[in-house]
Structures are given as C-alpha cells and as structure tokens.
C-alpha cells in the first residue's frame, strides 16, 4: 500500500491550505537553510534565520487568513483560493495581522495566476505598508521548493512527489494548457475556419481548455489555439458585445470576425460565446468507430501525441499549433 504524506479526504479549501503549509513546515524542519533559500528565491534582499510557528485559521480583529507562518521577527499571512476569486477587501484586511513584525509577507495561493489588475492593487497597498506580496500557483510553489532541495535528499524528494501528486489529483495544477475540445462543426465549418473562431450559446458550460478541434465528416479537420473569449449577439444585423470580456482584448478585427460569423449563420438575437483562435490549421484526426460523437469531447493532446511517439521521444510540452496539426494526422480515436 502506498503511503501518503498529505490528506486526500477533506473540506476542500481548508485542507488545500493545510497541505501547502505542511509542505513548507516539512521543508523547514528538514532544513531551515533550504526554507530561507526558498523565501529568498521568491523575494529579493531578505536575510532571515529564525524558528517558525504554523497556525491555521488564525483570527485577528478584521479577518481570518487561511493560515499563517510566524515568528517574533517575521510573519507570512496566507490566503488560498481555488477559483481565482480573491477579494481585495479581504486581502487588505489581512495586512492588519502583519503589524508589528520586522519582515511582513502576504502569500496568495491559487491554481492560476492572480488577475493582473487586482495584483497591481494588492502589490501597491503592500508596498505602502512595507509588506511583500508573494503570489503563487500551486505549480510554482512546488517548483520553488524543488529548487532548494538536494536531489540526494530522498525523504524530502518523496514528500515533494507526494504533494505534487496530491495537487494533480485535486486539480490544483491546471492541465487546460494541453486540452483540446472537439466540437461538431458541420454546417459552420467553413465560417469557423474563415473567421478563426467557434461559438456556442452563452448559457452553456464548458471545462477550461486551450485548443478547439473542428469535427466534420468523421474526423477532426482543423485545430486552433484559443487566445480570447467574448459574448456577442446579432441585433439589427449588427454585433452587440457583452460589457465584460471573458478573456482577452476585443479588437476591431475580432469584432468584424464575430459579426461576419453571426451574419453568415443567421444568429439574430441569440447570445453566443465566441472562442477566438490564432489560426485554424488543417489536420485529420480520424474517428475510427461508427457514428459521430454526441456533443463535444475533450482530449489530452500530450497523451494522444505520445501514443504515436517512439520510446525515448515522448513529449511533455506541446509544440506550435501547426506542428500539433501535423502530428494528429497520424493519430486516431474512437
């Protein structure tokens, strides 16, 4: 039976925080020097060498951070989110818990990078209060810990490996960068390709993904990498756009492409979500079983490509979209 260092059954956000704190506590207990190297690599010009105390759900007058790492001369307040839903007011309240320490840190932890506008505001407020803001993804946390642990330190390497497995099992390290959503694109295929976009009704949900594959005539015939997402509707033969963009910048070129697609498909009055790609590249990712897929389907492109790669040539990162399109011509699915 495999031994795990980190809890798997949990009330999600609290235990994700606790496990991250356990990793950092084990790093310190294993080697205080490594822990402070970890901190020094994340921020510049600090020189701290003290004992640590880890506290979960510590209350102060105005807020309750998820965790805190502290000592007489320094303290790190930690706030964990799972859906990038940090609240500016809550984070600024956390700064009150750092008063009176020589070295003050606010660590924000989420599967994805903090939204840039919010990060700029928090960074500015922290600077005014002499607090260092450390924004980490779970993946970057693991990479930062790996960087300071010796490869020959087997016990600590096992702990890091188990924490990394925990993060993958718990979807704390997003894999949308390698996911392709295959969508049915029979009558709209030519319009999709011409305008380098795909759309579905705005009310429909979807899992995060980076690539769109257009399926028609028993195969995925084109693949594109998503660069932006917008909601729009055709009213009086003109495209109207939602006030808030979902992803990316709405340029005049994208506005024209979306309007062309709306007119071409006669989508008057219906709000649609548009996935804009850099370019659709021709491919031929054949479906070898009968019947078309029922709705969309998600593929792990790294897994699919590695099925055709010889031993010793397996990939861990994806090449350019044009190269992915060529490789998929040698792949099949059922």
């Amino acid at each position: 039976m495999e031994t795990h260092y980190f809890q798997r059954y949990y009330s999600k956000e609290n235990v994700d925080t606790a496990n991250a704190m356990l990793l950092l506590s084990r790093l310190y207990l294993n080697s205080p020097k490594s822990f402070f190297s970890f901190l020094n690599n994340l921020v510049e010009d600090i020189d701290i060498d003290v004992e640590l105390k880890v506290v979960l759900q510590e209350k102060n007058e105005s807020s309750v951070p998820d965790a805190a790492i502290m000592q007489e001369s320094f303290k790190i307040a930690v706030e964990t989110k799972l859906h990038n839903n940090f609240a500016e007011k809550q984070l600024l309240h956390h700064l009150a818990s750092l008063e009176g320490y020589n070295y003050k840190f606010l660590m924000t932890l989420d599967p994805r990078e903090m939204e840039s506008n919010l990060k700029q505001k928090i960074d500015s407020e922290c600077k005014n209060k002499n607090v260092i803001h450390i924004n980490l993804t779970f993946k970057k946390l693991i990479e930062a810990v790996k960087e300071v642990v010796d490869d020959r330190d087997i016990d600590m390497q096992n702990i890091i490996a188990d924490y990394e497995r925990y993060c993958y099992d718990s979807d704390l390290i997003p894999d949308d960068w390698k996911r392709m959503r295959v969508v049915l694109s029979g009558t709209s295929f030519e319009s999709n390709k011409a305008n380098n976009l795909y759309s579905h009704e705005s009310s429909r949900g979807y899992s995060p993904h980076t690539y769109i594959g257009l399926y028609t005539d028993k195969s995925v015939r084109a693949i594109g990498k998503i660069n932006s997402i917008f909601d729009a509707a055709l009213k009086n033969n003109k495209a109207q756009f939602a006030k808030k963009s979902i992803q990316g910048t709405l340029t005049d070129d994208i506005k024209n492409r979306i309007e062309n697609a709306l007119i071409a498909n006669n989508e008057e009055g219906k709000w649609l979500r548009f996935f804009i790609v850099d370019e659709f590249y021709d491919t031929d990712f054949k479906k070898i079983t009968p019947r078309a897929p029922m709705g969309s389907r998600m593929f792990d492109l790294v897994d699919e490509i590695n099925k055709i790669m010889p031993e010793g040539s397996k990939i861990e990162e994806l090449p350019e979209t044009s190269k992915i399109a060529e490789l998929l011509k040698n792949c099949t699915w059922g």
Side-chain angles (χ1 to χ4, degrees), residues 68-81:
I69 306 172
M70 70 181 89
Q71 202 274 344
E72 183 179 357
S73 62
F74 92 104
K75 180 177 177 180
I76 307 174
V78 181
E79 181 62 37
T80 304
K81 297 295 183 188

Side-chain angles (χ1 to χ4, degrees), residues 24 27-28 31-50 52 134 143-150:
L24 295 182
L27 175 64
Y28 176 79
S31 169
K33 181 179 179 181
S34 294
F35 178 85
F36 293 115
S37 294
F38 160 82
L39 275 184
N40 273 299
N41 288 344
L42 294 175
V43 297
E44 297 179 355
D45 301 324
I46 62 172
D47 184 16
I48 310 170
D49 188 9
V50 291
L52 301 180
I134 303 172
E143 290 172 349
V145 172
K146 283 182 176 179
E147 190 173 343
V148 299
V149 174
D150 195 301

Side-chain angles (χ1 to χ4, degrees), residues 30-278:
N30 184 70
S31 169
K33 181 179 179 181
S34 294
F35 178 85
F36 293 115
S37 294
F38 160 82
L39 275 184
N40 273 299
N41 288 344
L42 294 175
V43 297
E44 297 179 355
D45 301 324
I46 62 172
D47 184 16
I48 310 170
D49 188 9
V50 291
E51 294 183 0
L52 301 180
K53 178 183 178 183
V54 177
V55 178
L56 299 175
Q57 297 290 314
E58 181 213 19
K59 294 183 179 180
N60 63 74
E61 290 184 1
S62 55
S63 66
V64 183
D66 289 328
I69 306 172
M70 70 181 89
Q71 202 274 344
E72 183 179 357
S73 62
F74 92 104
K75 180 177 177 180
I76 307 174
V78 181
E79 181 62 37
T80 304
K81 297 295 183 188
L82 302 182
H83 306 288
N84 221 339
N85 53 336
F86 292 105
E88 181 180 356
K89 185 176 180 180
Q90 181 190 37
L91 293 177
L92 295 183
H93 280 166
H94 288 346
L95 300 185
S97 71
L98 299 172
E99 293 180 4
Y101 291 86
N102 295 333
Y103 301 94
K104 299 176 284 190
F105 302 86
L106 173 66
M107 180 182 290
T108 48
L109 188 61
D110 188 273
R112 291 176 172 80
E113 299 277 358
M114 181 181 286
E115 193 272 325
S116 59
N117 288 338
L118 177 59
K119 186 176 184 301
Q120 288 176 5
K121 291 179 182 178
I122 299 303
D123 286 348
S124 177
E125 289 292 336
C126 284
K127 186 176 181 180
N128 290 338
K129 295 182 180 297
N130 198 30
V131 175
I132 297 172
H133 179 209
I134 303 172
N135 177 232
L136 291 175
T137 63
F138 288 92
K139 184 175 178 63
K140 285 187 175 180
L141 171 65
I142 293 168
E143 290 172 349
V145 172
K146 283 182 176 179
E147 190 173 343
V148 299
V149 174
D150 195 301
D151 290 341
R152 295 165 294 182
D153 188 343
I154 302 303
D155 288 342
M156 196 63 205
Q157 290 292 344
N158 287 338
I159 289 170
I160 296 170
D162 186 53
Y163 182 71
E164 188 168 24
R165 286 195 299 272
Y166 166 78
C167 287
Y168 276 109
D169 291 345
S170 303
D171 295 324
L172 298 177
I173 300 178
D175 64 355
D176 52 301
W177 61 272
K178 59 178 180 174
R179 296 174 76 186
M180 174 179 69
R181 181 163 63 111
V182 169
V183 296
L184 304 181
S185 182
T187 58
S188 62
F189 180 78
E190 295 301 332
S191 175
N192 292 150
K193 277 201 66 181
N195 294 295
N196 287 314
L197 52 75
Y198 168 78
S199 66
H200 66 213
E201 291 188 18
S202 294
S203 58
R204 281 177 51 188
Y206 61 94
S207 298
H209 56 289
T210 298
Y211 297 88
I212 290 280
L214 302 179
Y215 176 92
T216 186
D217 192 21
K218 300 181 180 179
S219 184
V220 177
R221 302 287 178 179
I223 180 176
K225 185 175 184 178
I226 298 169
N227 61 40
S228 51
I229 305 172
F230 308 98
D231 283 348
L234 188 67
K235 296 186 179 180
N236 299 320
N237 223 37
K238 282 286 186 180
Q240 292 190 6
F241 296 88
K243 292 182 179 179
K244 186 175 181 180
S245 298
I246 298 168
Q247 177 184 322
T249 302
L250 187 59
T251 64
D252 289 339
D253 174 63
I254 290 174
K255 288 180 180 178
N256 291 333
R257 286 154 58 187
I258 289 175
E259 187 169 89
N260 290 339
L262 287 167
I263 293 172
N265 293 298
N266 193 26
E267 299 285 7
E268 181 73 26
K270 185 188 297 183
W271 280 96
L272 300 176
R273 181 151 296 171
F274 285 86
F275 300 82
I276 313 300
V277 304
D278 296 326

